[in-house]
Amino acid sequence: MASRSPRRSPRRSPRRPLRQRRGVLVAASVAAVALVISLVMALRPDHRTGDGQEVATSAAGARTTAPSTSPEPTPSPAKPSASPSPTPTATPTVAAAPKGKPTQPPTGPTPKSTPTAASGGEGGGNGGSSGGSGTAARPASGTAPLAGRIRPGTTYQGVATFYDTGNGDGACLYGPTSDVMTAAMNTADYETSMACGAYILVRAASGATVTVRITNECPGDCLPGQLDLSPQAFAKLAAPVTGRIPITWSLLSPASADPISIRYKTGSTRYWCGIQVIGHRNPLARLEVRTDSGWVRLARTSYNYFLSEQGSGCGGAIRISDIYGEQLTIDGIAVRPDVAQPTRVQFAAH
C-alpha cells in the first residue's frame, strides 16, 4: 500500500494546475477577443472621430491618415461628388446659347443677290477691284454738303444715247471690266471726274428703268443732262434702232458694296504719286494725305486720280470724303503702282 501512493501523487498533482491554466487561457482569450472587437469597431472606415469628421479613406478602400501637422483629414478621392470644382459638363456650349437670337451677319460687305445694278470689277495693271458688282441700289437721300452738280434727291432731265464701250475702260481709268451696265457722263456733269463711280438710275418715258455706273466721259456733242449708255443698258430702255430717247435720271446709293480699294498710278514713287479710289459707294468729294504738317488735300484730275506733285504724303495715311461729308482714314497702303490694294472700309449707304 505504501508503495502505490507515491505513484498516484505525481499523476493527480499536475492535473489541477492544467485546469487552472486552461481557465486562465480562456479568460485571456475572451479578453483578447473583446479587445480586438473594440479595436475593429474603433478603426472601421465609417467610424467618426470625436469632432464629428469622417476618417478619410483611399479609392482602394485603404485607410489613410493626414499628416500630423494638419488638423484636418485629407479629403477622400473616393467621393468626387463632394468636390466644389465644376465638372466639364457644366461648361457652356453652342447648343446652350439662348434661342431667338440669330447670328448677326458680318459687318463687312455681303454677297450681292440682286443683279439689277450690275457693276463689274475694274482691272488695270496688276490689280483689280470688284467695284461693287451686282449691288442693289436705292435713291440717295440726305444732305450732301460736298456735292457738286450731281446731288441726291434731285431728278435730272436729258437724253440717252449709246456707244461701243469696248473693253469697258473709260476716262475714269478704272480699267477693263466685264460689267456692261455702264455709262459716260456729259462733260458738264462729269465735273472733272467727280461723277466717276456714281450709280445712276435712268428712267425712260415708257417707264422702263436701268441702273448704270459712270465709268467714262462723253465730251463734244453731249449736252448737260445727257448720258451715253452702253448698248446693253440702252436696250433695257428702248430698241437700239431708236438711237436717242428722252430720259430722267437721279443719283443712287447702293445698299451693299465691297470694300474700297486704293491704287497708285503708273510711275508713282515717294517723291511723286497719283492716287485713285476704286469701288466707293457714293461719289467721292475729296482725298487728303497726311504729312508732317498735317492733312493736305490733293488736286483732282479729269482722269480720276489725285496728284501729289511734290510727293507729299505718298505712301502715308490717306483720308477720303464722300459728298455726304463722311470721312474714312486708310493706313498701310504702300506705293505699288498699278495695283488695286483692298481696304476694309466703305462709305455708309444713303
Side-chain angles (χ1 to χ4, degrees):
M1 296 294 295
S3 60
R4 294 180 178 174
S5 57
R7 296 176 184 170
R8 293 174 182 164
S9 296
R11 292 179 181 174
R12 293 191 185 115
S13 57
R15 290 178 182 174
R16 292 174 183 172
L18 179 60
R19 292 192 185 98
Q20 293 177 357
R21 286 197 299 273
R22 287 178 179 174
V24 172
L25 289 175
V26 170
S29 299
V30 171
V33 169
L35 179 60
V36 170
I37 292 174
S38 299
L39 291 174
V40 170
M41 294 297 293
L43 299 179
R44 283 191 309 168
D46 59 348
H47 176 71
R48 297 183 182 272
T49 60
D51 59 357
Q53 295 186 354
E54 187 176 349
V55 177
T57 59
S58 67
R63 180 172 172 272
T64 59
T65 58
S68 58
T69 57
S70 173
E72 298 292 336
T74 303
S76 172
K79 298 181 179 181
S81 60
S83 173
S85 301
T87 60
T89 56
T91 304
T93 61
V94 174
K99 296 182 179 180
K101 295 183 179 180
T103 303
Q104 295 295 327
T107 56
T110 58
K112 318 309 181 297
S113 59
T114 54
T116 55
S119 173
E122 295 85 4
N126 299 322
S129 168
S130 61
S133 61
T135 57
R138 63 184 182 183
S141 61
T143 59
L146 302 182
R149 289 177 58 89
I150 302 176
R151 307 186 65 83
T154 303
T155 299
Y156 300 87
Q157 294 184 344
V159 295
T161 52
F162 66 92
Y163 74 106
D164 182 7
T165 56
N167 63 4
D169 199 4
C172 295
L173 293 187
Y174 287 133
T177 176
S178 59
D179 176 24
V180 295
M181 294 300 161
T182 59
M185 182 66 75
N186 65 84
T187 299
D189 295 322
Y190 183 76
E191 203 171 1
T192 316
S193 76
M194 192 170 182
C196 285
Y199 289 89
I200 302 296
L201 175 64
V202 186
R203 184 181 299 275
S206 64
T209 61
V210 66
T211 299
V212 296
R213 184 170 50 93
I214 304 301
T215 59
N216 205 352
E217 178 185 11
C218 179
D221 57 353
C222 278
L223 302 175
Q226 183 174 346
L227 292 174
D228 209 11
L229 307 177
S230 68
Q232 295 87 344
F234 188 92
K236 296 284 187 180
L237 302 176
V241 296
T242 309
R244 184 184 184 95
I245 59 173
I247 58 168
T248 59
W249 55 271
S250 57
L251 181 66
L252 295 178
S253 182
S256 60
D258 291 331
I260 287 170
S261 293
I262 301 295
R263 179 162 54 198
Y264 277 94
K265 195 178 185 306
T266 303
S268 292
T269 66
R270 297 188 65 86
Y271 308 101
W272 177 95
C273 65
I275 304 174
Q276 183 184 54
V277 182
I278 304 171
H280 44 89
R281 187 197 306 266
N282 306 315
L284 193 66
R286 295 174 181 171
L287 187 147
E288 302 165 279
V289 292
R290 181 183 288 157
T291 67
D292 294 338
S293 58
W295 291 102
V296 175
R297 182 178 175 182
L298 300 185
R300 188 173 206 158
T301 67
S302 61
Y303 51 87
N304 198 30
Y305 274 87
F306 294 83
L307 295 186
S308 177
E309 298 284 0
Q310 306 301 323
S312 299
C314 295
I318 299 170
R319 186 168 70 184
I320 57 178
S321 305
D322 67 2
I323 61 173
Y324 299 96
E326 181 180 2
Q327 292 183 334
L328 300 175
T329 301
I330 303 168
D331 292 293
I333 302 296
V335 180
R336 299 173 59 195
D338 301 320
V339 177
Q341 303 180 59
T343 70
R344 297 182 179 181
V345 298
Q346 181 59 270
F347 292 118
H350 290 269

Short mmCIF file of all heavy atoms in Angstrom, two decimals, residues 52-110:
data_model
loop_
_atom_site.label_atom_id
_atom_site.label_comp_id
_atom_site.label_asym_id
_atom_site.label_seq_id
_atom_site.Cartn_x
_atom_site.Cartn_y
_atom_site.Cartn_z
N GLY A 52 -16.57 64.84 -35.01
CA GLY A 52 -17.65 64.71 -35.98
C GLY A 52 -17.16 64.55 -37.40
O GLY A 52 -17.95 64.44 -38.31
N GLN A 53 -15.86 64.52 -37.68
CA GLN A 53 -15.36 64.41 -39.02
C GLN A 53 -15.03 62.97 -39.33
O GLN A 53 -14.54 62.23 -38.49
CB GLN A 53 -14.10 65.25 -39.20
CG GLN A 53 -14.39 66.74 -39.06
CD GLN A 53 -13.17 67.55 -39.39
OE1 GLN A 53 -12.12 66.99 -39.61
NE2 GLN A 53 -13.34 68.85 -39.41
N GLU A 54 -15.26 62.58 -40.61
CA GLU A 54 -15.08 61.21 -41.03
C GLU A 54 -13.61 60.93 -41.32
O GLU A 54 -12.91 61.75 -41.88
CB GLU A 54 -15.91 60.95 -42.29
CG GLU A 54 -15.93 59.51 -42.72
CD GLU A 54 -16.84 59.32 -43.91
OE1 GLU A 54 -17.58 60.27 -44.22
OE2 GLU A 54 -16.82 58.23 -44.49
N VAL A 55 -13.16 59.76 -40.98
CA VAL A 55 -11.79 59.37 -41.26
C VAL A 55 -11.67 59.14 -42.76
O VAL A 55 -12.49 58.45 -43.36
CB VAL A 55 -11.42 58.09 -40.48
CG1 VAL A 55 -10.02 57.64 -40.85
CG2 VAL A 55 -11.52 58.35 -39.00
N ALA A 56 -10.65 59.70 -43.41
CA ALA A 56 -10.52 59.61 -44.86
C ALA A 56 -10.04 58.24 -45.26
O ALA A 56 -9.24 57.61 -44.58
CB ALA A 56 -9.53 60.67 -45.36
N THR A 57 -10.55 57.77 -46.42
CA THR A 57 -10.11 56.50 -46.99
C THR A 57 -9.72 56.72 -48.42
O THR A 57 -10.20 57.62 -49.08
CB THR A 57 -11.24 55.46 -46.91
OG1 THR A 57 -12.36 55.95 -47.63
CG2 THR A 57 -11.62 55.15 -45.49
N SER A 58 -8.87 55.88 -48.94
CA SER A 58 -8.44 55.98 -50.32
C SER A 58 -9.45 55.33 -51.22
O SER A 58 -10.37 54.66 -50.77
CB SER A 58 -7.08 55.31 -50.50
OG SER A 58 -7.21 53.91 -50.30
N ALA A 59 -9.27 55.48 -52.56
CA ALA A 59 -10.21 54.91 -53.51
C ALA A 59 -10.18 53.40 -53.43
O ALA A 59 -11.15 52.73 -53.76
CB ALA A 59 -9.87 55.37 -54.93
N ALA A 60 -9.07 52.81 -53.03
CA ALA A 60 -8.96 51.36 -52.93
C ALA A 60 -9.56 50.84 -51.64
O ALA A 60 -9.60 49.65 -51.39
CB ALA A 60 -7.50 50.94 -53.04
N GLY A 61 -10.00 51.72 -50.78
CA GLY A 61 -10.61 51.32 -49.52
C GLY A 61 -9.63 51.27 -48.38
O GLY A 61 -10.01 51.01 -47.25
N ALA A 62 -8.36 51.51 -48.62
CA ALA A 62 -7.37 51.51 -47.54
C ALA A 62 -7.46 52.80 -46.78
O ALA A 62 -7.66 53.86 -47.33
CB ALA A 62 -5.98 51.34 -48.13
N ARG A 63 -7.29 52.72 -45.53
CA ARG A 63 -7.40 53.89 -44.67
C ARG A 63 -6.13 54.72 -44.80
O ARG A 63 -5.03 54.20 -44.77
CB ARG A 63 -7.61 53.43 -43.23
CG ARG A 63 -7.72 54.53 -42.21
CD ARG A 63 -8.12 53.91 -40.88
NE ARG A 63 -8.08 54.87 -39.80
CZ ARG A 63 -7.00 55.12 -39.08
NH1 ARG A 63 -5.90 54.47 -39.34
NH2 ARG A 63 -7.03 56.01 -38.10
N THR A 64 -6.32 56.02 -44.92
CA THR A 64 -5.17 56.92 -44.99
C THR A 64 -5.27 57.92 -43.87
O THR A 64 -6.35 58.27 -43.41
CB THR A 64 -5.16 57.69 -46.34
OG1 THR A 64 -6.36 58.42 -46.46
CG2 THR A 64 -5.04 56.71 -47.51
N THR A 65 -4.15 58.42 -43.48
CA THR A 65 -4.11 59.39 -42.38
C THR A 65 -3.51 60.67 -42.88
O THR A 65 -2.66 60.70 -43.76
CB THR A 65 -3.27 58.85 -41.21
OG1 THR A 65 -1.96 58.56 -41.71
CG2 THR A 65 -3.89 57.59 -40.64
N ALA A 66 -3.97 61.73 -42.33
CA ALA A 66 -3.44 63.04 -42.70
C ALA A 66 -2.12 63.26 -42.00
O ALA A 66 -1.85 62.68 -40.97
CB ALA A 66 -4.44 64.12 -42.30
N PRO A 67 -1.27 64.12 -42.57
CA PRO A 67 -0.02 64.44 -41.88
C PRO A 67 -0.30 65.00 -40.51
O PRO A 67 -1.30 65.67 -40.27
CB PRO A 67 0.61 65.51 -42.80
CG PRO A 67 -0.03 65.28 -44.14
CD PRO A 67 -1.41 64.79 -43.85
N SER A 68 0.64 64.71 -39.62
CA SER A 68 0.44 65.10 -38.22
C SER A 68 0.35 66.60 -38.06
O SER A 68 -0.20 67.10 -37.10
CB SER A 68 1.59 64.55 -37.36
OG SER A 68 2.84 65.04 -37.86
N THR A 69 0.90 67.33 -39.03
CA THR A 69 0.86 68.80 -38.91
C THR A 69 -0.49 69.36 -39.33
O THR A 69 -0.75 70.52 -39.11
CB THR A 69 1.96 69.41 -39.79
OG1 THR A 69 1.77 68.97 -41.14
CG2 THR A 69 3.34 68.98 -39.33
N SER A 70 -1.33 68.55 -39.97
CA SER A 70 -2.61 69.08 -40.44
C SER A 70 -3.72 68.67 -39.49
O SER A 70 -3.87 67.49 -39.19
CB SER A 70 -2.91 68.54 -41.84
OG SER A 70 -4.20 68.91 -42.23
N PRO A 71 -4.53 69.58 -39.03
CA PRO A 71 -5.63 69.23 -38.12
C PRO A 71 -6.81 68.61 -38.85
O PRO A 71 -7.68 68.07 -38.23
CB PRO A 71 -6.01 70.57 -37.49
CG PRO A 71 -5.66 71.57 -38.53
CD PRO A 71 -4.45 71.03 -39.22
N GLU A 72 -6.86 68.74 -40.20
CA GLU A 72 -7.99 68.25 -40.95
C GLU A 72 -7.60 66.98 -41.69
O GLU A 72 -6.50 66.87 -42.22
CB GLU A 72 -8.46 69.29 -41.97
CG GLU A 72 -8.93 70.58 -41.35
CD GLU A 72 -10.21 70.41 -40.58
OE1 GLU A 72 -10.95 69.46 -40.88
OE2 GLU A 72 -10.46 71.23 -39.68
N PRO A 73 -8.50 66.00 -41.79
CA PRO A 73 -8.21 64.81 -42.57
C PRO A 73 -8.19 65.12 -44.06
O PRO A 73 -8.86 66.03 -44.52
CB PRO A 73 -9.37 63.86 -42.21
CG PRO A 73 -10.49 64.77 -41.84
CD PRO A 73 -9.83 65.95 -41.16
N THR A 74 -7.40 64.35 -44.81
CA THR A 74 -7.32 64.54 -46.25
C THR A 74 -8.63 64.14 -46.90
O THR A 74 -9.15 63.07 -46.63
CB THR A 74 -6.18 63.68 -46.83
OG1 THR A 74 -4.97 64.04 -46.17
CG2 THR A 74 -6.05 63.90 -48.34
N PRO A 75 -9.21 64.99 -47.83
CA PRO A 75 -10.48 64.62 -48.47
C PRO A 75 -10.34 63.32 -49.24
O PRO A 75 -9.31 63.05 -49.85
CB PRO A 75 -10.73 65.80 -49.44
CG PRO A 75 -9.93 66.92 -48.88
CD PRO A 75 -8.74 66.29 -48.23
N SER A 76 -11.38 62.53 -49.21
CA SER A 76 -11.34 61.22 -49.84
C SER A 76 -11.53 61.34 -51.34
O SER A 76 -12.50 61.91 -51.81
CB SER A 76 -12.46 60.33 -49.28
OG SER A 76 -12.55 59.14 -50.00
N PRO A 77 -10.61 60.79 -52.17
CA PRO A 77 -10.82 60.81 -53.62
C PRO A 77 -11.93 59.88 -54.05
O PRO A 77 -12.31 59.85 -55.20
CB PRO A 77 -9.46 60.33 -54.17
CG PRO A 77 -8.85 59.54 -53.05
CD PRO A 77 -9.34 60.18 -51.79
N ALA A 78 -12.42 59.03 -53.13
CA ALA A 78 -13.49 58.11 -53.48
C ALA A 78 -14.84 58.80 -53.52
O ALA A 78 -15.83 58.18 -53.86
CB ALA A 78 -13.53 56.96 -52.48
N LYS A 79 -14.91 60.09 -53.16
CA LYS A 79 -16.17 60.82 -53.16
C LYS A 79 -16.04 62.10 -53.98
O LYS A 79 -16.01 63.19 -53.46
CB LYS A 79 -16.59 61.17 -51.73
CG LYS A 79 -16.83 59.94 -50.88
CD LYS A 79 -17.27 60.35 -49.49
CE LYS A 79 -17.53 59.13 -48.61
NZ LYS A 79 -17.98 59.49 -47.26
N PRO A 80 -15.88 61.98 -55.33
CA PRO A 80 -15.70 63.17 -56.15
C PRO A 80 -16.91 64.08 -56.19
O PRO A 80 -16.81 65.24 -56.52
CB PRO A 80 -15.41 62.59 -57.54
CG PRO A 80 -16.06 61.24 -57.51
CD PRO A 80 -15.94 60.75 -56.09
N SER A 81 -18.09 63.54 -55.90
CA SER A 81 -19.29 64.38 -55.97
C SER A 81 -19.28 65.48 -54.93
O SER A 81 -19.95 66.48 -55.07
CB SER A 81 -20.54 63.50 -55.77
OG SER A 81 -20.48 62.85 -54.50
N ALA A 82 -18.49 65.30 -53.87
CA ALA A 82 -18.43 66.33 -52.83
C ALA A 82 -17.48 67.45 -53.19
O ALA A 82 -17.37 68.41 -52.49
CB ALA A 82 -18.00 65.69 -51.50
N SER A 83 -16.74 67.30 -54.29
CA SER A 83 -15.78 68.33 -54.67
C SER A 83 -16.49 69.57 -55.16
O SER A 83 -17.43 69.49 -55.96
CB SER A 83 -14.86 67.78 -55.77
OG SER A 83 -14.04 68.80 -56.26
N PRO A 84 -16.07 70.78 -54.76
CA PRO A 84 -16.72 72.00 -55.22
C PRO A 84 -16.32 72.41 -56.63
O PRO A 84 -16.86 73.33 -57.18
CB PRO A 84 -16.25 73.05 -54.20
CG PRO A 84 -14.92 72.55 -53.77
CD PRO A 84 -15.03 71.04 -53.76
N SER A 85 -15.31 71.74 -57.22
CA SER A 85 -14.84 72.14 -58.54
C SER A 85 -15.87 71.81 -59.60
O SER A 85 -16.49 70.75 -59.56
CB SER A 85 -13.52 71.43 -58.86
OG SER A 85 -12.55 71.74 -57.90
N PRO A 86 -16.07 72.68 -60.61
CA PRO A 86 -17.04 72.39 -61.68
C PRO A 86 -16.56 71.25 -62.55
O PRO A 86 -15.38 71.07 -62.77
CB PRO A 86 -17.09 73.71 -62.47
CG PRO A 86 -15.79 74.37 -62.18
CD PRO A 86 -15.41 73.97 -60.78
N THR A 87 -17.50 70.51 -63.04
CA THR A 87 -17.18 69.40 -63.92
C THR A 87 -17.29 69.87 -65.36
O THR A 87 -17.90 70.88 -65.65
CB THR A 87 -18.17 68.24 -63.69
OG1 THR A 87 -19.48 68.72 -63.96
CG2 THR A 87 -18.08 67.75 -62.26
N PRO A 88 -16.67 69.12 -66.34
CA PRO A 88 -16.73 69.55 -67.74
C PRO A 88 -18.13 69.71 -68.28
O PRO A 88 -18.37 70.48 -69.19
CB PRO A 88 -15.98 68.41 -68.47
CG PRO A 88 -15.09 67.83 -67.43
CD PRO A 88 -15.84 67.96 -66.14
N THR A 89 -19.10 68.99 -67.74
CA THR A 89 -20.47 69.09 -68.25
C THR A 89 -21.09 70.45 -67.97
O THR A 89 -22.08 70.81 -68.57
CB THR A 89 -21.35 68.00 -67.64
OG1 THR A 89 -21.28 68.10 -66.21
CG2 THR A 89 -20.87 66.63 -68.06
N ALA A 90 -20.52 71.18 -67.05
CA ALA A 90 -21.07 72.50 -66.73
C ALA A 90 -20.58 73.58 -67.67
O ALA A 90 -21.02 74.70 -67.61
CB ALA A 90 -20.71 72.88 -65.30
N THR A 91 -19.61 73.24 -68.56
CA THR A 91 -19.08 74.24 -69.48
C THR A 91 -20.11 74.59 -70.53
O THR A 91 -20.67 73.71 -71.18
CB THR A 91 -17.82 73.67 -70.17
OG1 THR A 91 -16.89 73.30 -69.17
CG2 THR A 91 -17.20 74.71 -71.11
N PRO A 92 -20.41 75.89 -70.77
CA PRO A 92 -21.41 76.27 -71.78
C PRO A 92 -20.96 75.83 -73.16
O PRO A 92 -19.79 75.86 -73.50
CB PRO A 92 -21.45 77.80 -71.69
CG PRO A 92 -20.88 78.11 -70.35
CD PRO A 92 -19.89 77.03 -70.05
N THR A 93 -21.90 75.42 -73.98
CA THR A 93 -21.63 75.04 -75.35
C THR A 93 -22.48 75.87 -76.29
O THR A 93 -23.35 76.64 -75.86
CB THR A 93 -21.97 73.55 -75.57
OG1 THR A 93 -23.36 73.36 -75.30
CG2 THR A 93 -21.16 72.67 -74.63
N VAL A 94 -22.23 75.71 -77.58
CA VAL A 94 -23.00 76.48 -78.57
C VAL A 94 -24.47 76.11 -78.50
O VAL A 94 -25.35 76.92 -78.67
CB VAL A 94 -22.44 76.21 -79.98
CG1 VAL A 94 -23.31 76.88 -81.04
CG2 VAL A 94 -21.02 76.70 -80.08
N ALA A 95 -24.73 74.82 -78.23
CA ALA A 95 -26.12 74.38 -78.19
C ALA A 95 -26.88 75.01 -77.03
O ALA A 95 -28.10 75.07 -77.05
CB ALA A 95 -26.18 72.86 -78.07
N ALA A 96 -26.15 75.49 -76.04
CA ALA A 96 -26.81 76.08 -74.88
C ALA A 96 -27.10 77.56 -75.06
O ALA A 96 -27.59 78.20 -74.17
CB ALA A 96 -25.95 75.89 -73.64
N ALA A 97 -26.75 78.12 -76.22
CA ALA A 97 -26.98 79.54 -76.45
C ALA A 97 -28.47 79.83 -76.46
O ALA A 97 -29.27 79.01 -76.86
CB ALA A 97 -26.38 79.96 -77.80
N PRO A 98 -28.87 81.01 -75.99
CA PRO A 98 -30.29 81.37 -75.96
C PRO A 98 -30.88 81.33 -77.36
O PRO A 98 -30.26 81.75 -78.32
CB PRO A 98 -30.27 82.80 -75.40
CG PRO A 98 -28.97 82.93 -74.70
CD PRO A 98 -28.02 82.05 -75.43
N LYS A 99 -32.09 80.84 -77.46
CA LYS A 99 -32.76 80.77 -78.74
C LYS A 99 -33.40 82.12 -79.05
O LYS A 99 -33.63 82.94 -78.19
CB LYS A 99 -33.81 79.67 -78.72
CG LYS A 99 -33.21 78.28 -78.54
CD LYS A 99 -34.29 77.23 -78.57
CE LYS A 99 -33.68 75.83 -78.40
NZ LYS A 99 -34.72 74.78 -78.42
N GLY A 100 -33.72 82.27 -80.31
CA GLY A 100 -34.39 83.50 -80.71
C GLY A 100 -33.45 84.64 -80.99
O GLY A 100 -33.85 85.76 -81.19
N LYS A 101 -32.11 84.38 -80.98
CA LYS A 101 -31.14 85.42 -81.27
C LYS A 101 -30.29 84.97 -82.43
O LYS A 101 -29.26 84.33 -82.26
CB LYS A 101 -30.25 85.70 -80.05
CG LYS A 101 -31.02 86.28 -78.88
CD LYS A 101 -30.09 86.59 -77.74
CE LYS A 101 -30.84 87.20 -76.56
NZ LYS A 101 -29.96 87.50 -75.45
N PRO A 102 -30.71 85.25 -83.66
CA PRO A 102 -29.96 84.79 -84.82
C PRO A 102 -28.58 85.41 -84.85
O PRO A 102 -28.35 86.51 -84.36
CB PRO A 102 -30.82 85.26 -86.00
CG PRO A 102 -31.62 86.40 -85.45
CD PRO A 102 -31.86 86.06 -84.00
N THR A 103 -27.67 84.67 -85.45
CA THR A 103 -26.32 85.15 -85.58
C THR A 103 -26.29 86.42 -86.41
O THR A 103 -26.88 86.50 -87.48
CB THR A 103 -25.45 84.08 -86.26
OG1 THR A 103 -25.54 82.89 -85.47
CG2 THR A 103 -24.00 84.53 -86.35
N GLN A 104 -25.59 87.41 -85.89
CA GLN A 104 -25.52 88.67 -86.61
C GLN A 104 -24.66 88.49 -87.84
O GLN A 104 -23.63 87.83 -87.80
CB GLN A 104 -24.92 89.76 -85.71
CG GLN A 104 -25.79 90.10 -84.51
CD GLN A 104 -27.10 90.70 -84.92
OE1 GLN A 104 -27.20 91.42 -85.91
NE2 GLN A 104 -28.15 90.41 -84.18
N PRO A 105 -25.07 89.04 -88.89
CA PRO A 105 -24.27 88.93 -90.09
C PRO A 105 -22.96 89.68 -89.92
O PRO A 105 -22.88 90.60 -89.10
CB PRO A 105 -25.15 89.55 -91.16
CG PRO A 105 -26.05 90.47 -90.40
CD PRO A 105 -26.27 89.83 -89.06
N PRO A 106 -21.96 89.35 -90.61
CA PRO A 106 -20.73 90.10 -90.56
C PRO A 106 -20.92 91.53 -90.97
O PRO A 106 -21.78 91.84 -91.77
CB PRO A 106 -19.81 89.35 -91.53
CG PRO A 106 -20.74 88.57 -92.40
CD PRO A 106 -21.95 88.25 -91.57
N THR A 107 -20.07 92.46 -90.30
CA THR A 107 -20.18 93.87 -90.63
C THR A 107 -19.66 94.21 -92.01
O THR A 107 -20.01 95.25 -92.57
CB THR A 107 -19.44 94.71 -89.59
OG1 THR A 107 -18.07 94.26 -89.54
CG2 THR A 107 -20.04 94.53 -88.21
N GLY A 108 -18.82 93.35 -92.62
CA GLY A 108 -18.31 93.60 -93.95
C GLY A 108 -19.35 93.39 -95.02
O GLY A 108 -20.45 92.92 -94.76
N PRO A 109 -19.04 93.67 -96.30
CA PRO A 109 -19.99 93.52 -97.39
C PRO A 109 -20.44 92.08 -97.55
O PRO A 109 -19.71 91.14 -97.30
CB PRO A 109 -19.19 93.99 -98.61
CG PRO A 109 -18.08 94.80 -98.06
CD PRO A 109 -17.79 94.25 -96.70
N THR A 110 -21.69 91.91 -97.98
CA THR A 110 -22.25 90.59 -98.17
C THR A 110 -22.40 90.31 -99.66
O THR A 110 -22.43 91.22 -100.48
CB THR A 110 -23.61 90.49 -97.49
OG1 THR A 110 -24.46 91.50 -98.04
CG2 THR A 110 -23.49 90.69 -96.00
#
